Amino acid sequence: MGAFLGLVLGLGLVLVVAASTDDPARPRRQSAAERLHNRFRQRLVEAGFARLGIAGVVAWMLAGGVAAFVVTAGISRSVVISVAFAAMAAYSPLVVVGARRRRRQDTLRGAWPDVVDDLTSAVRAGLSLPEALIQLSSRGPVALRPAFAQFAVDYRAGGRFGESLDRLKDSLADPVGDRVVESLRMAREVGGNDLGRLLRTLSRFLREDARTRGELEARQSWTVNGARLAVAAPWVLLALLATRRQAVAAYDSAAGLLVIGSGAGACLVAYRLMMRIGRLPVEGRVLR
């Protein structure tokens, strides 16, 4: 018996010493390439292009660039001009992703107050939070029905409300949706009779936020349109000049390459600068 107690005591001392001397496991630090990859993948999810993936976007860029090069080369017979338009065509998928992401966020921002109102009505009718969320798959705004339909499938399969909410946030990929989901999670965990009041307050806040942001976007739309027009005008002129042999011969040289390259750089810098000056603050997903 004494030997057994001594063995247990010795094993305990070994475990204490090992726990005090071992370094805690540190999470691996992501490289710049991994952070860029994750950030772009998140942008695709927020734009609704999750199924396309990064490989699909790269293939889209290559196909657009090659097609633009072939078409421009057949019209102008100039390698320099063809490369310039091929570069713009290859960059255009990134512009489409950004525009789709902003349009989707605007659409969802306007739909969330109606979602909260539907939840308020369902809770008043005596439904539980999971049942109220499930009914949004058929009665909610059209833009959000697929996400809530997937929530219904997840919840009916597992019955775990918290995990189903996490998957709902991932499918929505929206900062406003994150706030709504976390508010519902807190109301579910804390309980009480203030759920209706919380939902009404949240609905009023979301409507005021959407109305204020809509007014600001309407006022700064002239800045965005002016930036796009200023960038597009020189390239429309270049496309018209590409049909004239004398202009093509002037640009199809080292000096022409320098002019087009410097012009492209100036347009890119000016466009990004004007967009940054006129851009409204974008709400990040801090509750992911």
Side-chain angles (χ1 to χ4, degrees), residues 65 77 115 153 167 196 199:
R77 307 292 182 181
V115 169
V153 173
R167 285 189 283 270
L199 292 175

Side-chain angles (χ1 to χ4, degrees), residues 149-168:
Q150 185 61 42
F151 169 83
V153 173
D154 292 337
Y155 183 75
R156 287 167 178 166
R160 297 179 179 179
F161 187 66
E163 295 180 2
S164 299
L165 283 182
D166 292 335
R167 285 189 283 270
L168 177 62

Side-chain angles (χ1 to χ4, degrees), residues 166 169 177-187 287-288:
D166 292 335
K169 285 202 306 183
D178 292 343
R179 284 186 291 168
V180 174
V181 168
E182 291 303 324
S183 299
L184 296 177
R185 188 197 306 273
M186 184 178 301
L287 298 176
R288 283 185 291 180

Side-chain angles (χ1 to χ4, degrees), residues 47-255:
F49 290 143
R51 295 184 178 181
L52 182 62
I54 297 179
V57 175
V58 173
W60 186 7
M61 295 172 65
L62 291 176
V66 171
F69 181 85
V70 171
V71 172
T72 309
I75 296 175
S76 65
R77 307 292 182 181
S78 172
V79 176
V80 175
I81 296 177
S82 301
V83 169
F85 282 98
M88 288 188 291
Y91 184 75
S92 61
L94 301 181
V95 178
V96 173
V97 170
R100 175 70 178 271
R101 175 173 172 263
R102 291 189 296 270
R103 192 181 309 115
R104 181 175 180 269
Q105 289 181 345
D106 292 340
T107 301
L108 296 184
R109 188 180 294 110
W112 277 115
D114 295 333
V115 169
V116 178
D117 290 342
D118 290 340
L119 289 175
T120 305
S121 301
V123 170
R124 284 180 178 176
L127 296 180
S128 63
L129 270 180
E131 293 173 344
L133 289 172
I134 289 173
Q135 76 167 357
L136 291 174
S137 61
S138 58
R139 296 182 55 186
V142 178
L144 294 172
R145 288 182 183 180
F148 288 108
Q150 185 61 42
F151 169 83
V153 173
D154 292 337
Y155 183 75
R156 287 167 178 166
R160 297 179 179 179
F161 187 66
E163 295 180 2
S164 299
L165 283 182
D166 292 335
R167 285 189 283 270
L168 177 62
K169 285 202 306 183
D170 293 337
S171 62
L172 290 171
D174 181 63
V176 180
D178 292 343
R179 284 186 291 168
V180 174
V181 168
E182 291 303 324
S183 299
L184 296 177
R185 188 197 306 273
M186 184 178 301
R188 170 80 170 186
E189 294 177 354
V190 175
N193 300 322
D194 294 333
L195 178 58
R197 184 184 305 172
L198 183 146
L199 292 175
R200 289 192 297 271
T201 303
L202 183 60
S203 175
R204 184 172 62 253
F205 173 77
L206 292 177
R207 291 185 188 279
E208 292 177 354
D209 181 69
R211 182 173 62 254
T212 302
R213 190 172 186 89
E215 293 176 356
L216 293 176
E217 289 178 349
R219 293 182 180 181
Q220 60 99 233
S221 60
W222 66 271
T223 303
V224 177
N225 294 331
R228 292 171 179 170
L229 180 61
V231 170
W235 301 103
V236 172
L237 180 60
L238 179 62
L240 295 176
L241 292 176
T243 60
R244 298 176 60 88
R245 295 298 180 186
Q246 298 83 355
V248 170
Y251 281 109
D252 199 11
S253 62

